[in-house]
């Protein structure tokens, strides 16, 4: 039997002493400080045309604005079980390498029972080895949304996941190698059904964020030991949008604050929201303005891990940054520049086809010092102005077209950290939106704040 299709028997828990000895014998990496972040996820879009159930990665240097790797295609895909994954989780192990866990589910058949998790090992996420599935229980239920943590007192890792034993609970199995696991036991069952746990250990405190299925709200619980059934909920319920799941808790690399991400699936699928807090132990989360963050394109139910500068560089070198950009509106930060029926406009994302918002920002057709925007899904077509209105038209290579399709990227009129785009052949006019439709209008530093915001975009 090949390794990729090997199943694993549930084993008794190793003694803490034996496990600690095994861990101590493993090589320990001299880890550099984390200065960047990696995000693991799968993808879906509202009509599912952008769905892909392989492992996707994105990177960020600020932990807020993300660049998909590998052109937002999967970097690895399961070859056993359902041949797809959901809810990937990245854990940096005690030896400095990574393990990736994921739900074994290809698609959205949430009534499907499955006792397994996908697992990969990786040194620095540029390659993935040792693919296997591990069997977590023998119950007639699912094994969803794994999270894992190091339990120093036990000398083992805990793998926590959503399952149903008559009600929706979190189960835990312990492991030293992510190959053999202890018998499952209930880890958290607060008296109401729960889903999608995420555990972060900070000092001597274990934080568990989860969804209350009865209310649909996100809560945080904490424990001083991390032991099963030792958590106490300490936060009020959180939600943005109408339906949210998959809380994702991360401490920033500076060690001065925390972020809590939430994945919204209604009224439209595939929209991340964010909170921030200076004190994860307090019941105090602030809603983040969407101007401050840009999730990975089409990302669903992921996890975030800190990485070093060398790991960031290796990931970018191995998988590559996007060959396209998106333009986010300054004053409507949920909206992106897109084409629809050959008209340039800004619309609230997510939408389909999602490629309508992807642009190759190339050297200006009329002046290489400027830029032009070529459509990714309609190559050869560019944003250009015609009677001051912005259209997506095929390049006829005339002087007039090249001039109409060329803009100079300058400091944002409303925010110098963002960008504005001045027309090449009408230099007093800038690309802006009006009633969500794009056009070029005369603007300057003395224009109204609203007009300047309409002409300011984040290139992401």
């Amino acid at each position: 039997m090949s390794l990729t299709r090997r199943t694993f028997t549930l084993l008794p828990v190793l003694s803490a002493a034996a496990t600690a000895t095994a861990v101590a014998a493993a090589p320990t990496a001299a880890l550099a400080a984390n200065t960047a972040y990696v995000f693991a996820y799968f993808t879906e879009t509202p009509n599912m045309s952008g769905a892909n159930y392989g492992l996707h990665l994105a990177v960020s240097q600020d932990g807020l604005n993300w660049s998909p790797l590998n052109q937002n295609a999967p970097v690895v895909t399961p070859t056993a079980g359902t041949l797809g994954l959901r809810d990937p989780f990245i854990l940096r192990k005690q030896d400095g390498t990574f393990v990736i866990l994921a739900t074994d589910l290809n698609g959205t058949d949430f009534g499907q029972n499955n006792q397994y998790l996908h697992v990969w090992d990786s040194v620095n996420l540029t390659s993935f080895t040792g693919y296997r599935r591990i069997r977590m229980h023998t119950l007639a239920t699912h094994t969803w949304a794994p999270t894992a943590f190091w339990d120093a007192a036990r000398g083992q890792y805990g793998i926590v996941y959503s399952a149903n034993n008559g009600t929706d609970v979190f189960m835990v199995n312990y492991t030293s190698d992510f190959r053999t696991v202890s018998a499952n036991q209930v880890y958290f069952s607060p008296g109401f059904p729960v889903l999608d746990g995420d555990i972060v250990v900070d000092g001597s405190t274990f934080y568990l964020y989860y969804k209350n299925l009865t209310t649909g709200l996100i809560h945080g619980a904490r424990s001083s030991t991390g032991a099963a059934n030792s958590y106490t909920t300490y936060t009020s319920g959180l939600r943005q949008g109408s339906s949210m799941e998959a809380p994702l808790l991360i401490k920033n690399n500076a060690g001065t604050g925390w972020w809590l991400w939430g994945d919204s699936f209604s009224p439209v699928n595939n929209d991340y929201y964010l909170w921030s807090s200076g004190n994860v132990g307090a019941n105090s989360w602030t809603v983040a303005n969407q101007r401050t963050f840009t999730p990975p394109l089409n990302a669903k139910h992921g996890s975030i891990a800190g990485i070093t500068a060398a790991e960031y560089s290796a990931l970018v070198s191995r998988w590559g940054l996007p060959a396209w950009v998106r333009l986010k509106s300054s004053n409507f930060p949920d909206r992106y520049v897109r084409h629809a029926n050959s008209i340039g406009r800004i619309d609230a994302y997510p939408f389909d086809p999602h490629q309508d918002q992807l642009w190759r920002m190339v050297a200006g057709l009329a002046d290489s010092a400027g830029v032009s925007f070529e459509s990714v899904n309609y190559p050869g077509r560019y944003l250009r102005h015609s009677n001051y209105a912005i259209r997506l038209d095929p390049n006829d290579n005339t002087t007039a077209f090249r001039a109409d399709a060329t803009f100079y990227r300058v400091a944002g009129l409303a925010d110098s950290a963002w960008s504005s785009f001045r027309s090449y052949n009408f230099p007093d006019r800038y690309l802006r939106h009006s009633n969500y439709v794009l056009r070029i209008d005369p603007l300057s530093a003395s224009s109204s704040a609203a007009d300047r915001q309409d002409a300011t975009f984040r290139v992401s």
Side-chain angles (χ1 to χ4, degrees):
M1 181 180 293
S2 69
L3 179 61
T4 56
R5 295 192 179 274
R6 180 181 172 190
T7 58
F8 297 85
T9 306
L10 302 178
L11 297 178
V13 180
L14 296 175
S15 72
T19 304
T21 299
V23 172
T28 301
L31 296 177
N34 291 332
T35 61
Y37 307 83
V38 63
F39 199 137
Y41 56 99
F42 67 100
T43 63
E44 287 179 346
T45 58
N47 71 8
M48 304 301 282
S49 63
N52 186 287
Y53 300 100
L55 175 66
H56 295 68
L57 297 177
V59 290
S60 171
Q61 292 183 308
D62 66 4
L64 297 172
N65 295 285
W66 296 89
S67 297
L69 298 174
N70 202 35
Q71 306 307 314
N72 214 31
V75 297
V76 70
T77 299
T79 56
T82 65
L83 306 180
L85 64 77
R86 298 178 69 96
D87 323 322
F89 181 81
I90 295 179
L91 176 71
R92 190 189 289 276
K93 297 190 297 180
Q94 293 299 103
D95 65 0
T97 66
F98 297 92
V99 64
I100 297 90
L101 308 170
T103 301
D104 182 9
L105 178 58
N106 189 351
T108 58
D109 181 6
F110 300 124
Q112 182 182 124
N113 292 333
N114 195 317
Q115 301 162 350
Y116 293 84
L117 293 174
H118 297 297
V119 186
W120 290 267
D121 303 306
S122 183
V123 173
N124 62 2
L125 305 178
T126 63
S127 63
F128 302 88
T129 59
Y131 170 68
R132 58 209 178 265
R133 292 194 307 151
I134 53 175
R135 191 179 189 185
M136 306 304 291
H137 57 79
T138 58
L139 302 172
T141 185
H142 50 260
T143 311
W144 289 346
T147 185
F149 64 96
W150 172 247
D151 187 330
R154 183 183 287 267
Q156 289 184 295
Y157 300 94
I159 305 174
V160 174
Y161 52 92
S162 297
N164 187 295
N165 65 352
T167 187
D168 289 287
V169 300
F170 296 147
M171 294 283 188
V172 66
N173 303 63
Y174 293 95
T175 184
S176 299
D177 56 9
F178 293 94
R179 292 179 177 273
T180 56
V181 298
S182 69
N184 62 288
Q185 60 181 294
V186 173
Y187 189 71
F188 184 67
S189 182
F192 48 81
V194 293
L195 186 71
D196 295 346
D198 190 40
I199 296 173
V200 174
V201 184
D202 185 48
S204 61
T205 304
F206 295 74
Y207 292 99
L208 166 62
Y209 274 70
Y210 64 91
K211 177 177 179 176
N212 179 333
L213 281 171
T214 299
T215 64
L217 299 176
I218 303 298
H219 292 276
R222 61 189 168 198
S223 165
S224 61
T225 66
N229 305 305
S230 66
Y231 287 84
T232 301
T233 296
Y234 72 97
T235 68
S236 305
L238 297 168
R239 180 169 58 204
Q240 298 182 56
S242 61
S243 297
M244 180 167 286
E245 59 189 3
L248 195 173
L249 180 66
I250 182 76
K251 187 177 186 179
N252 70 33
N253 286 333
T256 56
W258 293 76
W259 295 305
L260 178 65
W261 298 79
D263 186 357
S264 177
F265 61 89
S266 178
V268 290
N269 189 30
N270 192 60
D271 200 6
Y272 262 102
Y273 294 102
L274 181 67
W275 294 267
S276 64
S277 177
N279 182 0
V280 70
N283 183 18
S284 178
W285 288 99
T286 300
V287 173
N289 189 307
Q290 285 184 287
R291 290 187 86 253
T292 65
F293 65 95
T294 307
L297 180 65
N298 301 334
K300 289 289 295 179
H301 196 147
S303 67
I304 297 174
I307 55 175
T308 67
E311 288 167 338
Y312 176 91
S313 296
L315 281 165
V316 170
S317 176
R318 171 65 178 89
W319 301 112
L321 293 174
W324 35 261
V325 300
R326 304 163 73 197
L327 301 180
K328 175 191 282 193
S329 167
S330 173
N331 49 350
F332 292 91
D334 62 331
R335 292 178 178 259
Y336 290 81
V337 170
R338 58 89 58 97
H339 63 82
N341 298 317
S342 299
I343 302 299
R345 55 179 295 113
I346 60 169
D347 279 341
Y349 193 71
F351 51 73
D352 286 298
H354 74 271
Q355 297 93 336
D356 288 355
Q357 68 186 304
L358 304 183
W359 306 98
R360 294 186 181 93
M361 193 165 70
V362 300
L365 298 180
D367 181 354
S368 61
V371 298
S372 295
F373 296 97
E374 182 183 14
S375 169
V376 164
N377 55 346
Y378 288 89
R381 293 176 179 257
Y382 293 79
L383 288 181
R384 57 86 59 94
H385 62 81
S386 177
N387 294 322
Y388 306 133
I390 298 296
R391 296 183 45 81
L392 183 75
D393 285 338
N395 180 10
D396 62 10
N397 207 31
T398 62
T399 299
F401 182 95
R402 294 197 302 270
D404 290 348
T406 299
F407 303 86
Y408 292 112
R409 183 180 180 180
V410 299
L413 295 177
D415 183 342
S416 61
W418 291 40
S419 297
S420 292
F421 296 92
R422 180 167 58 85
S423 169
Y424 165 79
N425 51 352
F426 290 87
D428 65 331
R429 291 178 180 260
Y430 290 78
L431 180 70
R432 59 88 57 91
H433 63 82
S434 178
N435 295 320
Y436 307 133
V437 177
L438 295 177
R439 54 180 293 110
I440 59 169
D441 279 342
L443 292 171
S444 70
S446 61
S447 297
S448 72
D451 285 344
R452 286 184 284 115
Q453 287 174 347
D454 289 349
T456 300
F457 303 90
R458 182 186 183 98
V459 180
S460 63

